[in-house]
Amino acid sequence: MSAAIIQRLLQRRQRFADGSDEKWEYCAPECGVSHFPIRTENALKANRIVGGVIANKNSLPWQVALIRPSGSQFCGGSIISDRWILTAAHCFRNSASTGWNPPTGYTVRIGSHTMSRTAESEGGISIAVEKIVCHPYFSRNPTDHDVCLLKLKEHIPFRKNIAPICLPHADAPVPAPGTACMASGWGRRISSNSEPTSEHLRQVYVPIMPIDACNTTIGEQSGYALTPRMICTATPDGGFSTCQGDSGGPYVCPNAAGQWEIHGVTSWGYGCAPARLPAVYAKVTYFTHWIVDSIAQN
């Protein structure tokens, strides 16, 4: 059974627990479809997600914010079914790098745009994490197999502003180098722990970088080579990228049918949008089978 069919079946299990009177097309949504206009431009001088713009409210309905037990936002993620979030494994590696943080106290903020407001005041919801399933081969130096699944304690109430992103088929090609796809999140503007994360959800379009060029620039900086489980993006002069706080968030591209698919999970890089140095994402197509199997087993 294909990933798309399994994802659709998972979506059909929606319980409508919130008593919503939303239209059926919202409560049982097609993946990768936004019912609000998505911005199409970048703005070099905008803050936070580097070189990006504030997303139109509710236009990225698959985007979620991950919230620590302390209440602060620390990573992003993407809705892939009514119980599961796709994010980065490094977001949940414990401080000793020997295992995974337990799910206790972690929540996922869904259908939200402005961090200074409550999710409920924006027509969203916060749901506690029940289980964390990170890839067993996750490693550092370089960060690899950087994907993780979060099972939520409750079903997500799909609405006009809450919907899943499409998972690409495992054999689907990554869009060609030069294709500008979209990253999003609430991350910082510069690589500094003193820099606050963004109050509003932001987005940026950045082009896919040829793998040989990416390997050259990454190798010069770190001595590491990209693996088949990574893709990278960069602009020649810098100024457009993700930053701290965006980790785990989506890098999405429209497919031939006009639906948005998640091709990357924000993973790692050097600084935030320096010239020539790429941002690296976990390549979702490499992990599609693992994602589907992990959901089925858990």
Side-chain angles (χ1 to χ4, degrees):
M1 188 180 294
S2 73
I5 292 174
I6 291 175
Q7 187 179 22
R8 187 63 180 160
L9 290 174
L10 288 166
Q11 293 163 16
R12 287 289 182 181
R13 293 170 53 197
Q14 165 66 24
R15 300 293 195 268
F16 311 111
D18 65 340
S20 172
D21 61 357
E22 298 266 4
K23 295 180 181 178
W24 174 253
E25 65 182 297
Y26 304 151
C27 292
E30 295 290 337
C31 65
V33 173
S34 175
H35 296 285
F36 298 86
I38 295 175
R39 296 187 70 168
T40 58
E41 80 279 15
N42 286 332
L44 185 59
K45 295 183 179 180
N47 291 327
R48 306 305 185 261
I49 195 166
V50 182
V53 295
I54 295 176
N56 287 338
K57 188 175 180 180
N58 301 326
S59 64
L60 309 180
W62 45 80
Q63 172 84 50
V64 303
L66 307 188
I67 309 299
R68 291 188 179 96
S70 65
S72 61
Q73 182 269 336
F74 68 104
C75 277
S78 304
I79 301 169
I80 57 171
S81 83
D82 68 345
R83 285 287 296 276
W84 291 90
I85 304 298
L86 177 63
T87 187
H90 78 261
C91 292
F92 289 92
R93 196 65 161 174
N94 64 25
S95 57
S97 295
T98 56
W100 307 108
N101 290 327
T104 306
Y106 286 97
T107 57
V108 175
R109 185 166 168 166
I110 301 165
S112 195
H113 179 77
T114 305
M115 285 292 108
S116 61
R117 297 182 59 183
T118 65
E120 290 72 17
S121 72
E122 296 190 291
I125 188 172
S126 292
I127 302 179
V129 176
E130 177 180 295
K131 193 171 189 178
I132 298 172
V133 183
C134 292
H135 200 285
Y137 295 154
F138 171 78
S139 63
R140 295 283 197 181
N141 302 320
T143 302
D144 199 2
H145 292 91
D146 194 13
V147 290
C148 193
L149 292 166
L150 308 181
K151 184 178 184 180
L152 304 183
K153 286 189 175 181
E154 303 171 26
H155 290 267
I156 297 171
F158 290 138
R159 304 169 183 168
K160 190 175 182 180
N161 63 321
I162 301 174
I165 191 67
C166 295
L167 282 176
H169 292 285
D171 57 356
V174 174
T179 304
C181 297
M182 178 174 56
S184 53
W186 288 270
R188 297 186 174 101
R189 177 179 61 87
I190 59 175
S191 183
S192 170
N193 289 333
S194 63
E195 174 75 13
T197 53
S198 178
E199 179 181 8
H200 304 291
L201 178 62
R202 305 189 76 90
Q203 64 176 71
V204 65
Y205 291 92
V206 282
I208 294 173
M209 192 176 188
I211 194 70
D212 54 347
C214 189
N215 262 323
T216 297
T217 54
I218 286 288
E220 290 173 352
Q221 184 72 22
S222 67
Y224 301 126
L226 291 185
T227 73
R229 295 167 290 279
M230 303 174 190
I231 59 176
C232 62
T233 67
T235 54
D237 298 323
F240 298 93
S241 189
T242 50
C243 198
Q244 285 87 358
D246 295 319
S247 290
Y251 180 67
V252 299
C253 310
N255 62 21
Q259 293 168 278
W260 291 86
E261 293 180 335
I262 182 167
H263 279 273
V265 174
T266 304
S267 183
W268 61 281
Y270 292 92
C272 300
R276 297 183 62 247
L277 288 180
V280 181
Y281 301 80
K283 185 195 295 183
V284 173
T285 52
Y286 189 94
F287 298 104
T288 299
H289 289 312
W290 177 83
I291 291 168
V292 172
D293 291 345
S294 295
I295 289 174
Q297 294 165 13
N298 289 278

